[in-house]
Amino acid sequence: MKISKIFKGFSADKWGPLLALAILFVISAFASPYFLKTRNLLNILRQVSYTGIIGLGMTFVIITGGIDLSVGSMTALVGGISILVLNALGGGAWAIFAAILAAIAIGAAFGAANGLVITKGKVAPFIVTLGTMAIFRSLTLYISGAGEFRSQSNLFPQLGMGYFLGIPIPVWIFIGLAVLFWLILNHTKYGRYMCAIGSNERVAKYAAIKIDKIRFFAYVIVGITVAVTAVLLSSRLNSISSSNAGQNYELDAIAAVIIGGTAMSGGSGSIIGTVIGAIILGIVNNMLNMLGVSPYLQGTVKGLVIIGAVLIQRKNNK
Amino acid sequence: MAEQILQIKGISKEFSKVRVLNNIRVNIERGEIFGIIGENGAGKSTLIKIISGIYVPTEGELFFEDKRITEFNPQTAREFGISLIPQEFNLINELNVFENIFLGKEYQKSILLDKKKMIKKAEDLLSMLHTDIKPTDKIQNLSVAKKQMIEIAKALAYESKLLIMDEPTTVLTGSEIELLFKLMNRLKEKGVTIIYISHKLNEVREICDRVMVLRDGEQIEIEDTQRMDEHKMATSMVGRELSQIFPEKNQPAQETVLKVENLSVRGLLEDISFDLKKGEILGFAGLVGAGRTELAETLIGIRKKQSGKISIHGKEVHIKNPSDAVKHNIAYLSEDRQGTGIITSFDMTGNITLNSLRDYCKILINHKREKETTKKYVDNFNIKAASLKTKLEFFSGGNQQKVSLAKSLDTRPEIFIVDEPTRGIDVNAKREIYHFLKQLASTGIACIFISSELEEILGMCTRVVVMREGNITGILDENEMTEKEIMLYATGLKGVA
């Protein structure tokens, strides 16, 4: 009775993901003595940064009632092209800078292409991005001759491998972007409008909100987050594999958003939730590795976590 | 004494310790039409949801045909013979009529569907309802009134003995309401009992045998309708004498704010011309489908005009989308509150500043100012909410409408189009809304007041435009405005364009 009362004042939407993370953290700490080692924790954070950053953009898209399946292949293509730019310019500091700018421009352009067909062509986001998912991967394979984009820069890897104040650079970028996206979602007109469109598009239209523009930019934004991830990933490996890079990133990004409590139906969402969702997925992966579970089974566990998270949310909303 | 079909013995309901229904005791007799009236939040919906098995009562017992109902779920209620005709229909648009009627209880020949038998049965049911709907018609092609017929046919297919109708007439036109009432009387003769919930007191008086008044979850009185008049019902619902419902009319200024000339929209509006003065509340009367909402939607840029001229303060304006309308200080209060008016998953603030959000932003939203605005409207409009953070879906219809009104007004419009502003809300909230509108008009705002309730057009407006099938059939001055005269124009008997 008393316990149920405590839980009554406790909104599952808001605190559920954090609670899940806390429980998972404690279990992991008991399950493996290595889990709590700083190096391991930092590794997990670095690992989740890549899809976590895309998850931030994905949160926006899902809030507007859309979806983007193309982010994985887009990561490979944008990463590949940025390495080509880097090599063409000689691989120095300026070349790196130019490669980053090029990546962001291309990512935004790819996102814009998705957004344009979805808003102006009025094709369902699922279909459009399913199509571009195939297109981006195929172009990556074609350009590289199904091989690897290999960077000739010695400086480039320092970005993805480097540390600042003892924390990996990708993690800093993840945190920085998360704060920025949180600000946009909760404290700007744009964030409010996205929620309005996802909740009730007709009300938004009558309220003089430019629906197409808002939705279009959500896809541009997710394209930019893909570009950031693509740069971090290619600089960490100093190469991009045309067949493997970004594989299943769409799954991880969408999973992070969903586990974080953002509704698939759109209308509301939480950036903090997405960050927590990404970390939960990272810890699960980490534990499976440490416990020696076959890598082939990791997808099964991930799938169960996603379905379980949604089931729990459903129950709580009843 | 007639046989009792439903005995409600001391039913109470609490939601998280808040009592919304207290000790309801009533016996409903077989073959009567029993009205339930009350303000929004009085407990009407809760009571019918208990009867139809959607809610479990906290206390009390229900007996149906002397059998105690122990299980509360919609299936059990249906097996007992209780059916709810909801306000929002549960029909599948893509299927046809007979498939909907027999959804979930299809007739089968071994493993195949027995379509012939279902079509035959559906025909029988529909002919019993005296309608020309065919069992193979597609639901999506049917009018709202016909969809309602299908819901009734569905209930009859379950051999329901008790029909619960929740605000069935809000979506119907005058002649459709007449048809519905005829049908209800026929069902009554066949021994079907009907519980009838409505805000329209004149209808309750016309159709019901007895009426129960609820107020704040309490049963106030049960009376033969013959011994009640509308004024008595309203007083009983509110719990005090209603001061005058309509405020004194505002005399408009001479200055013309909006002038519409020869406006046409393909297939919807033809050659519409009228002008609107500063401080005027200009009524727009007509039957459902006369094109009044379409006109409003054209004025705010949702629909494209084909020809014609719109001028504001003598200058021609081109309104191509809702943003242009906002720029020209036109606001619209939608007739379809939940469809186009408010976002039910947002709180009050999110809704109120939705149209005017740009006024609250530099780069970031000024949440403090937003909150102050909300508080201002809560005070001015007497909005009742559990907290500022409560989502609109938990608001009563009247309070939702006030939030919708606040939302439209927060853009500080000069021209305010209100479309059925009092639909589905209770007397008290109606009265408040009439007074707000009058107040707005007296500050110089020009209002277009679209309403299907002639009483409120007569009570609020100094001039009325009557529309029929996309045309204006007449513009009547205050001395020509009577209910009869307006109806003559609205039905096309006078002033054919």
Side-chain angles (χ1 to χ4, degrees), chain A residues 8 13 183 186-190 192-193 195-197 199-200 202-210 267, chain B residues 297 302 322-323 326 332 338-343 345-346 350 353-355 357-358 363-365 367 370:
Chain A
K8 228 177 190 179
D13 297 14
L183 213 59
N186 296 299
H187 296 281
T188 69
K189 217 163 52 177
Y190 184 73
R192 182 78 59 79
Y193 286 170
C195 294
I197 290 169
S199 298
N200 190 329
R202 289 185 64 213
V203 175
K205 184 177 168 194
Y206 277 70
I209 294 171
K210 295 195 169 109
Chain B
E297 287 174 347
I302 296 264
S323 311
V326 172
Y332 175 59
Q338 307 224 340
T340 54
I342 52 163
I343 296 180
S345 59
F346 273 26
T353 60
L354 195 62
N355 295 25
L357 195 56
R358 39 184 84 67
I363 295 170
L364 301 184
I365 299 171
H367 293 293
E370 259 195 310

Side-chain angles (χ1 to χ4, degrees), chain A residues 215-258:
Chain A
R215 292 177 69 202
F216 171 78
F217 276 111
Y219 291 94
V220 173
I221 289 171
V222 79
I224 293 171
T225 58
V226 166
V228 172
T229 294
V231 168
L232 292 175
L233 190 72
S234 50
S235 88
R236 173 158 168 74
L237 309 169
N238 216 13
S239 68
I240 280 284
S241 146
S242 60
S243 54
N244 285 331
Q247 192 96 58
N248 286 341
Y249 273 24
E250 63 283 341
L251 175 71
D252 284 18
I254 294 169
V257 176
I258 299 302

